[in-house]
PDB file of all heavy atoms in Angstrom:
ATOM      1  N   GLY A  13      99.646  80.814  95.683  1.00 98.00           N
ATOM      2  CA  GLY A  13      98.246  80.368  95.760  1.00 98.00           C
ATOM      3  C   GLY A  13      97.692  80.049  94.385  1.00 98.00           C
ATOM      4  O   GLY A  13      98.276  80.400  93.354  1.00 98.00           O
ATOM      5  N   THR A  14      96.541  79.414  94.403  1.00 97.00           N
ATOM      6  CA  THR A  14      95.912  78.914  93.177  1.00 97.00           C
ATOM      7  C   THR A  14      95.780  79.974  92.092  1.00 97.00           C
ATOM      8  O   THR A  14      95.969  79.686  90.914  1.00 97.00           O
ATOM      9  CB  THR A  14      94.506  78.350  93.524  1.00 97.00           C
ATOM     10  OG1 THR A  14      94.692  77.211  94.346  1.00 97.00           O
ATOM     11  CG2 THR A  14      93.730  77.951  92.290  1.00 97.00           C
ATOM     12  N   MET A  17      98.558  79.889  89.767  1.00 97.00           N
ATOM     13  CA  MET A  17      99.183  78.580  89.539  1.00 97.00           C
ATOM     14  C   MET A  17      98.935  78.060  88.124  1.00 97.00           C
ATOM     15  O   MET A  17      97.980  78.446  87.453  1.00 97.00           O
ATOM     16  CB  MET A  17      98.657  77.554  90.547  1.00 97.00           C
ATOM     17  CG  MET A  17      99.172  77.776  91.957  1.00 97.00           C
ATOM     18  SD  MET A  17      98.743  76.373  93.027  1.00 97.00           S
ATOM     19  CE  MET A  17      99.399  76.919  94.592  1.00 97.00           C
ATOM     20  N   LEU A  58     104.514  80.734  96.992  1.00 97.00           N
ATOM     21  CA  LEU A  58     104.193  79.551  97.809  1.00 97.00           C
ATOM     22  C   LEU A  58     102.751  79.088  97.641  1.00 97.00           C
ATOM     23  O   LEU A  58     101.843  79.900  97.435  1.00 97.00           O
ATOM     24  CB  LEU A  58     104.399  79.878  99.297  1.00 97.00           C
ATOM     25  CG  LEU A  58     105.822  80.180  99.754  1.00 97.00           C
ATOM     26  CD1 LEU A  58     105.810  80.590 101.224  1.00 97.00           C
ATOM     27  CD2 LEU A  58     106.725  78.967  99.560  1.00 97.00           C
ATOM     28  N   ASP A  59     102.565  77.794  97.755  1.00 96.00           N
ATOM     29  CA  ASP A  59     101.243  77.268  98.073  1.00 96.00           C
ATOM     30  C   ASP A  59     101.022  77.738  99.523  1.00 96.00           C
ATOM     31  O   ASP A  59     101.943  77.657 100.347  1.00 96.00           O
ATOM     32  CB  ASP A  59     101.271  75.736  98.015  1.00 96.00           C
ATOM     33  CG  ASP A  59      99.900  75.130  98.233  1.00 96.00           C
ATOM     34  OD1 ASP A  59      99.338  75.310  99.339  1.00 96.00           O
ATOM     35  OD2 ASP A  59      99.414  74.466  97.322  1.00 96.00           O
ATOM     36  N   SER A  60      99.836  78.221  99.834  1.00 97.00           N
ATOM     37  CA  SER A  60      99.695  78.849 101.155  1.00 97.00           C
ATOM     38  C   SER A  60      99.821  77.860 102.303  1.00 97.00           C
ATOM     39  O   SER A  60      99.941  78.267 103.462  1.00 97.00           O
ATOM     40  CB  SER A  60      98.400  79.647 101.251  1.00 97.00           C
ATOM     41  OG  SER A  60      97.300  78.810 101.441  1.00 97.00           O
ATOM     42  N   SER A  61      99.832  76.565 102.012  1.00 97.00           N
ATOM     43  CA  SER A  61     100.094  75.592 103.086  1.00 97.00           C
ATOM     44  C   SER A  61     101.503  75.787 103.646  1.00 97.00           C
ATOM     45  O   SER A  61     101.793  75.337 104.755  1.00 97.00           O
ATOM     46  CB  SER A  61      99.981  74.157 102.550  1.00 97.00           C
ATOM     47  OG  SER A  61      98.831  74.017 101.788  1.00 97.00           O
ATOM     48  N   GLY A  90      97.046  82.067  98.629  1.00 98.00           N
ATOM     49  CA  GLY A  90      96.315  80.813  98.537  1.00 98.00           C
ATOM     50  C   GLY A  90      95.158  80.807  99.517  1.00 98.00           C
ATOM     51  O   GLY A  90      95.221  81.460 100.569  1.00 98.00           O
ATOM     52  N   THR A  91      94.120  80.066  99.174  1.00 98.00           N
ATOM     53  CA  THR A  91      92.928  80.097 100.029  1.00 98.00           C
ATOM     54  C   THR A  91      93.101  79.282 101.312  1.00 98.00           C
ATOM     55  O   THR A  91      92.442  79.567 102.312  1.00 98.00           O
ATOM     56  CB  THR A  91      91.688  79.571  99.273  1.00 98.00           C
ATOM     57  OG1 THR A  91      91.942  78.237  98.852  1.00 98.00           O
ATOM     58  CG2 THR A  91      91.364  80.441  98.079  1.00 98.00           C
ATOM     59  N   ASP A  92      93.973  78.265 101.276  1.00 98.00           N
ATOM     60  CA  ASP A  92      94.029  77.327 102.407  1.00 98.00           C
ATOM     61  C   ASP A  92      94.330  78.015 103.742  1.00 98.00           C
ATOM     62  O   ASP A  92      93.754  77.647 104.770  1.00 98.00           O
ATOM     63  CB  ASP A  92      95.075  76.233 102.150  1.00 98.00           C
ATOM     64  CG  ASP A  92      94.612  75.260 101.075  1.00 98.00           C
ATOM     65  OD1 ASP A  92      93.407  75.241 100.769  1.00 98.00           O
ATOM     66  OD2 ASP A  92      95.463  74.515 100.528  1.00 98.00           O
ATOM     67  N   SER A 117      91.838  82.635  94.513  1.00 98.00           N
ATOM     68  CA  SER A 117      90.779  81.994  93.721  1.00 98.00           C
ATOM     69  C   SER A 117      90.786  80.496  93.955  1.00 98.00           C
ATOM     70  O   SER A 117      91.759  79.932  94.463  1.00 98.00           O
ATOM     71  CB  SER A 117      90.941  82.298  92.233  1.00 98.00           C
ATOM     72  OG  SER A 117      92.070  81.620  91.716  1.00 98.00           O
ATOM     73  N   GLN A 118      89.669  79.888  93.591  1.00 98.00           N
ATOM     74  CA  GLN A 118      89.563  78.426  93.668  1.00 98.00           C
ATOM     75  C   GLN A 118      90.008  77.794  92.343  1.00 98.00           C
ATOM     76  O   GLN A 118      90.438  76.657  92.317  1.00 98.00           O
ATOM     77  CB  GLN A 118      88.109  78.016  93.966  1.00 98.00           C
ATOM     78  CG  GLN A 118      87.600  78.392  95.359  1.00 98.00           C
ATOM     79  CD  GLN A 118      88.063  77.429  96.436  1.00 98.00           C
ATOM     80  OE1 GLN A 118      89.263  77.285  96.657  1.00 98.00           O
ATOM     81  NE2 GLN A 118      87.137  76.792  97.116  1.00 98.00           N
ATOM     82  N   LYS A 163      87.723  79.702 105.973  1.00 98.00           N
ATOM     83  CA  LYS A 163      87.518  78.977 104.718  1.00 98.00           C
ATOM     84  C   LYS A 163      86.462  77.914 104.979  1.00 98.00           C
ATOM     85  O   LYS A 163      86.646  77.039 105.824  1.00 98.00           O
ATOM     86  CB  LYS A 163      88.824  78.355 104.215  1.00 98.00           C
ATOM     87  CG  LYS A 163      88.636  77.669 102.862  1.00 98.00           C
ATOM     88  CD  LYS A 163      89.936  77.185 102.217  1.00 98.00           C
ATOM     89  CE  LYS A 163      89.636  76.509 100.892  1.00 98.00           C
ATOM     90  NZ  LYS A 163      90.824  75.972 100.211  1.00 98.00           N
TER      91      LYS A 163
HETATM   92  N1  LIG B 401      96.618  75.003  98.031  1.00 71.28           N
HETATM   93  C1  LIG B 401      96.232  76.293  97.492  1.00 71.28           C
HETATM   94  C2  LIG B 401      96.843  77.352  98.386  1.00 71.28           C
HETATM   95  O1  LIG B 401      96.340  77.567  99.451  1.00 71.28           O
HETATM   96  C3  LIG B 401      94.759  76.408  97.451  1.00 71.28           C
HETATM   97  C4  LIG B 401      94.230  77.718  96.922  1.00 71.28           C
HETATM   98  O2  LIG B 401      94.902  78.701  96.741  1.00 71.28           O
HETATM   99  O3  LIG B 401      92.995  77.760  96.667  1.00 71.28           O
HETATM  100  O4  LIG B 401      97.824  77.934  98.036  1.00 71.28           O
END
Side-chain angles (χ1 to χ4, degrees):
T14 294
M17 288 190 182
L58 295 175
D59 184 297
S60 77
S61 313
T91 59
D92 289 343
S117 70
Q118 292 280 61
K163 184 172 179 182

